[in-house]
């Protein structure tokens, strides 16, 4: 089922990436490639730097004061931390689903349409079409189709999470960063999101953070194990889960720590 | 024994605070009662409609005219023009401070703006008299610099600190995660401010505006000093006007005790009270209305 067409084109490469919150070093010389049309799962115990790393890839950490980035991240061979880079344009190409659902205090429809509107789409029909398509993809349509114009804050936590997925999909980015997208979902919705990830892989490059080992095993082609700000090991998911090279990885995967 | 003594002390404390609280509340209630008692008798002479919509305010003429329409228009127009100045300036300063300025600059500028709020209004009025009035007179070729426009500018500077600091608090407390969501979708920081941050802070900003304006509409000293004092419906923004609070302050001393003029001035007080009361009710309503309910259950 997986890795049927594993091309080896790196879409994103991180090289010797160090990241500091003030004086605290949160990422320590991370080097890893993410290939086109592949799903990479980032796993590791809480606080090991998965979210921090993910947020480096769309320069979301820039908003935090006192941070420092060393090393290099390239997307399509372009250094995203180079001074000339247009951050707005970069973020248009890299969608993100945050760890905590953060819907706008607007209607459900407006939440999903927002990205399209700020990206200059004005055609009402096109917007409506894309909104419906994205909400369907995020397995939320049946629950909200009657109340698209109600406030998104009235949704449950899991529904909000899927709304945020729909919102990220609507703008059709090239890369999709998902930070624990299923943490608040029931098994049925989780399965739908996993199926979605599998379909999206045809066109997107996906990086997903998850605490669920089965999910990592089911959805990803490559798995990367982080521990205390370091990348301990990354490789094909099958290999990582059957014969990991490092003892720590094995301990984590089998649930002996973390 | 000891136990019951502690209990007694606690009871005593409770009664003490109850007494203090009821005293201050009943004094306020008495002032309000007094206001109505001294103001309502005028309506035996002049109908409410004639009082509110009467075009002539000649309280000392014979026969006297007690129409406060020009005064109401004076108050409303001065407040409106000052709102046109203070709302954009106050809100935009707040946006700059909370969204654009570096945190160091913010920490310096914000207390300065708050300090402005504590400038005594007589100082602001004095500034309007000796600096702004001559300036207006020279540059706009008008008879007097003491007019509606001058008063509006001065009042605007009295409301800006209130509008700015409360709006800034509202903007600053919009969760960073909302801004991140917007930026992550490829919105510029400007789009994020306009489409996400401002709407999310709307309730706080509206409260700020109403509180700022209610400060302007009730302000007496400044309008007394710089508004010009003519009790007529203004034809241009450079006409002198006589807003409600200024009229009371200017005429109180010369109105014979318990005469019609005296009652009329208290009735103006009632009208003013109703104005500011409505402003506060609206402010309260707005600050409750947009309050976010039901955060994500995570
Ligand atoms: N804004 C911040 N300021 C300072 N330190 C931070 C900040 N965000 C995260 N950290 C620290 O950086 C380290 C990595 O945090 P990060 O959020 O990346 O972990 P994570 O792997 O995503 O954990 P989890 O699985 O719990 O989400 C932690 O020690 C955390 O305390
Ligand atoms: Mg995290």
């Amino acid at each position: 089922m997986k890795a049927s067409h594993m091309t080896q084109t790196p879409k994103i490469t991180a090289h010797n990436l160090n990241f500091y919150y003030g004086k605290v070093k949160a990422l320590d010389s991370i080097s890893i490639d993410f290939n086109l049309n592949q799903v990479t799962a980032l796993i590791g115990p809480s606080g090991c730097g998965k979210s921090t790393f993910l947020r480096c890839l769309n320069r979301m950490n820039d908003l935090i004061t006192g941070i420092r980035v060393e090393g290099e991240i390239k997307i399509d061979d372009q250094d995203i931390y180079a001074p000339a880079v247009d951050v707005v344009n970069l973020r248009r190409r890299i969608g993100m689903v945050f760890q905590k659902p953060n819907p706008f205090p607007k209607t459900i429809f407006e939440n999903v349409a927002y990205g399209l509107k700020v990206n200059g789409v004005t055609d009402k029909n096109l917007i409506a079409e894309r909104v419906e398509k994205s909400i369907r993809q995020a397995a939320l349509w049946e629950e909200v189709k009657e109340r698209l114009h109600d406030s998104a804050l009235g949704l449950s936590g899991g529904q909000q999470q899927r709304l945020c997925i729909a919102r990220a999909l609507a703008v059709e980015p090239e890369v999709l960063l998902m930070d624990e997208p299923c943490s608040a979902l029931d098994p049925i919705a989780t399965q739908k999101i996993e199926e979605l990830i599998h379909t999206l892989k045809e066109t997107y490059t996906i990086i997903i953070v998850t605490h669920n080992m089965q999910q990592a095993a089911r959805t990803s082609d490559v798995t990367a194990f982080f521990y205390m700000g370091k990348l301990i090991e990354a490789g094909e998911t099958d290999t990582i889960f059957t014969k990991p090279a490092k003892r720590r990885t094995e301990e984590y995967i089998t649930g002996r720590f973390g | 024994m000891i136990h019951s003594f502690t209990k007694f002390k606690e009871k005593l404390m409770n009664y003490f605070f109850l007494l203090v609280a009821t005293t201050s509340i009943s004094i306020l209630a008495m002032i309000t009662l007094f206001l109505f008692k001294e103001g309502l008798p005028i309506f035996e002479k002049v109908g409410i409609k004639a009082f509110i919509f009467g075009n002539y305010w000649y309280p000392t003429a014979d026969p006297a005219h007690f129409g406060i329409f020009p005064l109401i228009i004076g108050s409303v127009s001065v407040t409106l023009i000052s709102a046109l100045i203070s709302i954009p300036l106050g809100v935009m300063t707040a946006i700059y401070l909370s969204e654009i300025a570096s945190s160091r600059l913010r920490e310096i500028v914000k207390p300065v703006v708050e300090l402005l709020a504590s400038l005594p209004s007589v100082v602001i009025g004095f500034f309007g008299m000796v600096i702004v009035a001559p300036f207006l007179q020279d540059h706009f070729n008008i008879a007097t610099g003491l007019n509606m426009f001058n008063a509006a500018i001065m009042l605007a500077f009295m409301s800006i600190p209130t509008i700015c600091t409360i709006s800034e608090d509202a903007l600053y407390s919009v969760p960073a995660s909302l801004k991140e969501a917007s930026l992550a979708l490829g919105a510029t920081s400007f789009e994020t401010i306009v489409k996400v941050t401002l709407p999310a802070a709307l309730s706080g900003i509206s409260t700020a505006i109403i509180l700022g304006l209610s400060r302007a509409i009730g302000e007496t000293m400044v309008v007394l000093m710089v508004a010009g004092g003519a009790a007529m419906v203004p034809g241009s923004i450079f006409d002198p006007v006589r807003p409600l609070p200024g009229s009371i302050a200017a005429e109180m001393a010369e109105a014979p005790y318990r005469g019609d003029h005296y009652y009329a001035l208290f009735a103006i007080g009632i009208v003013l009270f109703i104005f500011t009361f409505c402003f506060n009710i609206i402010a309260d309503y707005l600050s409750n209305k947009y309050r976010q309910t039901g955060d994500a259950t995570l």
Side-chain angles (χ1 to χ4, degrees), chain A residues 19 21-22 24-27 44-53 55 61 64-65 67 99 179-180 209 211 226:
Chain A
F19 183 90
Y21 289 111
V24 181
K25 194 172 193 178
L27 294 177
S46 185
C48 68
K50 306 178 296 294
S51 297
T52 303
F53 179 71
R55 290 163 56 93
N61 285 324
I64 301 169
T65 43
I67 61 112
Q99 182 162 3
D179 203 343
E180 298 184 47
V209 172
H211 281 294
F226 281 68

Side-chain angles (χ1 to χ4, degrees), chain A residues 5-240:
Chain A
H5 54 109
M6 224 193 233
T7 46
Q8 293 297 326
T9 330
K11 175 77 179 170
I12 306 177
T13 55
H15 189 66
N16 274 338
L17 184 76
N18 293 326
F19 183 90
Y20 302 82
Y21 289 111
K23 291 205 168 58
V24 181
K25 194 172 193 178
L27 294 177
D28 188 359
S29 52
I30 309 284
S31 298
I32 186 173
D33 289 356
F34 300 98
N35 291 335
L36 196 64
N37 301 333
Q38 273 193 358
V39 179
T40 305
L42 307 185
I43 60 170
S46 185
C48 68
K50 306 178 296 294
S51 297
T52 303
F53 179 71
L54 210 60
R55 290 163 56 93
C56 283
L57 301 178
N58 65 347
R59 293 189 54 174
M60 206 34 83
N61 285 324
D62 291 15
L63 305 174
I64 301 169
T65 43
I67 61 112
R68 194 152 53 87
V69 184
E70 289 167 358
E72 189 181 68
I73 297 177
K74 282 187 173 168
I75 293 183
D76 290 337
D77 254 354
Q78 182 197 27
D79 183 357
I80 64 166
Y81 280 93
V85 166
D86 175 0
V87 184
V88 171
N89 186 42
L90 173 79
R91 293 189 185 131
R92 277 179 193 179
R93 294 165 53 202
I94 303 180
M96 178 165 227
V97 177
F98 291 82
Q99 182 162 3
K100 281 191 220 113
N102 50 359
F104 300 123
K106 301 175 185 289
T107 67
I108 293 168
F109 185 91
E110 284 300 324
N111 260 278
V112 184
Y114 182 87
L116 296 169
K117 288 185 181 166
V118 298
N119 284 287
V121 182
T122 47
D123 182 345
K124 287 228 159 50
N125 294 328
L126 179 63
I127 291 178
E129 215 172 89
R130 287 265 205 101
V131 168
E132 175 172 345
K133 183 180 163 210
S134 326
I135 298 180
R136 276 188 193 281
Q137 284 180 315
L140 185 63
W141 182 252
E142 290 307 315
E143 286 154 79
V144 301
K145 64 181 178 197
E146 308 289 337
R147 51 194 280 215
L148 287 178
H149 298 285
D150 291 354
S151 168
L153 301 183
L155 297 175
S156 77
Q159 289 170 331
Q160 291 188 359
Q161 202 164 38
R162 280 173 284 158
L163 183 68
C164 293
I165 295 175
R167 185 172 68 181
L169 293 175
V171 293
E172 300 184 337
E174 299 162 28
V175 178
L176 196 55
L177 311 175
M178 305 175 103
D179 203 343
E180 298 184 47
C182 301
S183 61
L185 301 189
D186 62 44
I188 298 168
T190 302
Q191 194 195 343
K192 293 222 177 99
I193 298 299
E194 288 180 8
E195 280 163 16
L196 170 72
I197 291 171
H198 195 72
T199 344
L200 291 180
K201 177 164 108 158
E202 308 280 333
T203 39
Y204 295 58
T205 303
I206 298 174
I207 306 174
I208 175 174
V209 172
T210 178
H211 281 294
N212 179 329
M213 293 306 115
Q214 284 84 37
Q215 181 167 64
R218 280 192 303 263
T219 56
S220 69
D221 304 301
V222 172
T223 297
F225 173 60
F226 281 68
Y227 182 66
M228 289 176 69
K230 288 195 173 70
L231 176 64
I232 302 297
E233 154 165 37
E236 283 196 30
T237 299
D238 287 340
T239 321
I240 295 280

